[in-house]
């Protein structure tokens, strides 16, 4: 998406809000709902609209987990780092994902296939360590299973190409 | 004429404007209480550094001087054992994530952390807490000063003064242990709208912001 497009979308959202500082979070939520993430230009636009220093908007965006600075990938990978998953080596699973996808937590692969992030407990600790793949919780995800899951995605993609 | 109240801090009779907090009453009268996060003109005290503990007669537990309004006839003690224990603990926790490299630090002679360590009699190389430091790159993009985010104690002095007298490019971002003073999108200060007034450097108590060439502060 071009800078101009981003600005247009953001301005569209801003039309339905008053210039009250308390509107910051609802505005950011709506902008993210439209764009999928919060690009630099969108944040600058919102800051100007509310008369806030841009760093203030950035501070709020980086504070709340619900806001993302990178465009979402086609598939979302959420590695659980809750207490049970931590004890079962969730951080090792996270390292495996990072290594295989060559990105850090909160980032998206350059081909926009995967985005990686952490989550604090998804409520199925029996399956620890858990990775939530596109809303679907996968249990006992060790580095070998990470490779397996990625292989499955690759197969799926190849299958689609053949068709 | 503003109304004044008289009170006793460390056996010293002092007078201060009504509505002043205990912390500013003491500091204005030459009694030092360790503090980092308190800003004189702030609407409400942040009360987040947990260093300015004092004991007030009639109160069972120590209180933070920055949140306690000075009252007529109040008797406060800044050197009570309970208060000092709390302050030392808070300071040691703070220093557990501050790199100790004083000999190489440009802020050696103006460092407020060293002043506090001396006041509380805390040995910086004998911290009981596990060392947990950041490994962030030093920002030397600004021609006037350097910013070492690893040394930031998140007191907010630079952020406040930048909004008041500077361009307002500094602010807090990120969460938890990663929270630090930074610029929009974590860009280099040299690339931001900073006009190099240097107020943030003069306000910094921890050596995170230091002038490139030593100037008279």
């Amino acid at each position: 998406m071009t800078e101009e497009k981003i600005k247009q979308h953001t301005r569209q959202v801003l039309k339905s809000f008053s210039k009250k500082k308390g509107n910051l979070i609802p505005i950011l939520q709506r902008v993210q709902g439209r764009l999928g993430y919060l690009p630099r230009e969108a944040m600058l636009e919102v800051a100007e609209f509310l008369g806030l220093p841009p760093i203030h908007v950035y501070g709020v965006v980086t504070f709340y987990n619900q806001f993302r600075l990178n465009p979402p990938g086609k598939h979302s990978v959420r590695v659980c780092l809750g207490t049970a998953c931590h004890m079962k080596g969730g951080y090792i699973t996270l390292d495996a994902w990072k290594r295989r996808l060559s990105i850090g937590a909160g980032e998206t692969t350059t081909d926009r296939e995967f985005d990686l992030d952490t989550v604090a407990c998804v409520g199925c600790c029996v399956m620890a360590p858990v990775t939530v793949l596109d809303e679907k919780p996968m249990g006992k995800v060790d580095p070998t299973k990470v490779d397996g899951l990625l292989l499955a995605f690759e197969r799926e993609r190849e299958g689609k190409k053949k068709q | 004429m503003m109304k004044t109240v008289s009170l006793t801090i460390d056996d010293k009779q002092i007078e201060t404007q009504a509505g002043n907090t205990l912390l500013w009453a003491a500091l204005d009268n030459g009694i030092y209480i360790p503090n980092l996060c308190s800003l004189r003109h702030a609407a409400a005290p942040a009360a987040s550094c947990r260093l300015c503990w004092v004991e007030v007669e009639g109160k069972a537990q120590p209180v933070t001087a920055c949140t306690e309004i000075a009252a007529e006839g109040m008797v406060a003690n800044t050197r009570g054992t309970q208060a000092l224990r709390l302050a030392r603990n808070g300071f040691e926790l703070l220093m557990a994530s501050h790199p100790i490299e004083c000999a190489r630090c440009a802020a050696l002679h103006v460092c407020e952390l060293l002043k506090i360590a001396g006041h509380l009699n805390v040995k910086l190389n004998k911290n009981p807490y596990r060392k947990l430091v950041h490994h962030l790159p030093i920002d030397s993009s600004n021609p006037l000063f350097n910013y070492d985010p690893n040394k930031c104690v998140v007191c907010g002095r630079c952020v406040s003064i930048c909004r008041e007298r500077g361009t307002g490019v500094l602010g807090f971002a990120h969460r938890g242990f990663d929270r630090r003073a930074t610029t929009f999108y974590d860009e280099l200060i040299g690339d931001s709208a900073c006009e190099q007034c240097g107020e943030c450097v003069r306000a910094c108590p921890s050596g995170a912001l230091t002038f490139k060439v030593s100037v008279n502060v």
Side-chain angles (χ1 to χ4, degrees), chain A residues 61-80:
Chain A
V61 170
T62 53
F63 182 85
Y64 292 104
N65 233 340
Q66 58 172 311
F67 295 124
R68 44 180 312 132
L69 293 164
N70 298 302
K74 212 187 280 169
H75 304 289
S76 82
V77 181
R78 297 284 174 274
V79 183
C80 181

Side-chain angles (χ1 to χ4, degrees), chain B residues 180-198:
Chain B
R180 61 180 179 272
T182 183
T183 54
F184 178 69
Y185 229 74
D186 293 322
E187 63 187 357
L188 296 172
I189 298 177
D191 296 339
S192 72
C194 172
E195 282 170 357
Q196 301 164 30
C197 64

Side-chain angles (χ1 to χ4, degrees), chain B residues 16 20-21 23-25 27-29 37-44 160:
Chain B
T16 188
N20 241 355
T21 62
L23 178 66
W24 292 110
L27 292 177
D28 289 346
N29 285 281
C37 70
S38 191
L39 305 160
R40 194 179 280 264
H41 302 295
S160 152

Side-chain angles (χ1 to χ4, degrees), chain A residues 38-40 43-44 53-56 58-59 62-65 69, chain B residues 163 168-175 179 182-187:
Chain A
L38 290 166
R40 198 192 146 90
M43 283 193 277
L44 286 171
I55 172 66
H56 188 100
Y58 184 64
T62 53
F63 182 85
Y64 292 104
N65 233 340
L69 293 164
Chain B
R163 287 206 182 152
V169 295
L170 286 178
F172 286 127
H174 306 285
R175 184 165 20 127
R179 193 155 179 84
T182 183
T183 54
F184 178 69
Y185 229 74
D186 293 322
E187 63 187 357

